[in-house]
Amino acid sequence: MHSYRVRWEEAEPDPRYAELARRQAAVKIITVPILTLHGGDDRVVFAQSSEGLEKHFTAFYRRVVLDGIGHFPTREASDQVSRLLAAFLDSHGKR
């Protein structure tokens, strides 16, 4: 809950995570394969927020917007998420 409050500027970040946040912000390019699954009806983190980010990834990058799905794709569309994740893992030798 606290992370949402920080995101909405209703609380200060927890200082115990300041170093982790600094290290995370310092990373400009991600070099591992990425699959982003975004609920098209997510009203917490809008799907548009993940558009056009390909330049930040040097390995495989795929973004999938799941129409009619909200903030919790793994609960709301578990079969679809499972299929996408299995295909991603199969194609990158991780399964």
Side-chain angles (χ1 to χ4, degrees), residues 39-54:
D41 288 342
D42 187 338
R43 292 184 177 97
V44 177
V45 180
F46 299 123
Q48 300 90 319
S49 70
S50 66
E51 288 178 351
L53 300 178
E54 295 82 4

Side-chain angles (χ1 to χ4, degrees), residues 28-30 51-59 61:
K28 302 300 179 199
I29 300 294
I30 297 177
E51 288 178 351
L53 300 178
E54 295 82 4
K55 64 185 176 193
H56 299 288
F57 303 93
T58 58
Y61 174 78

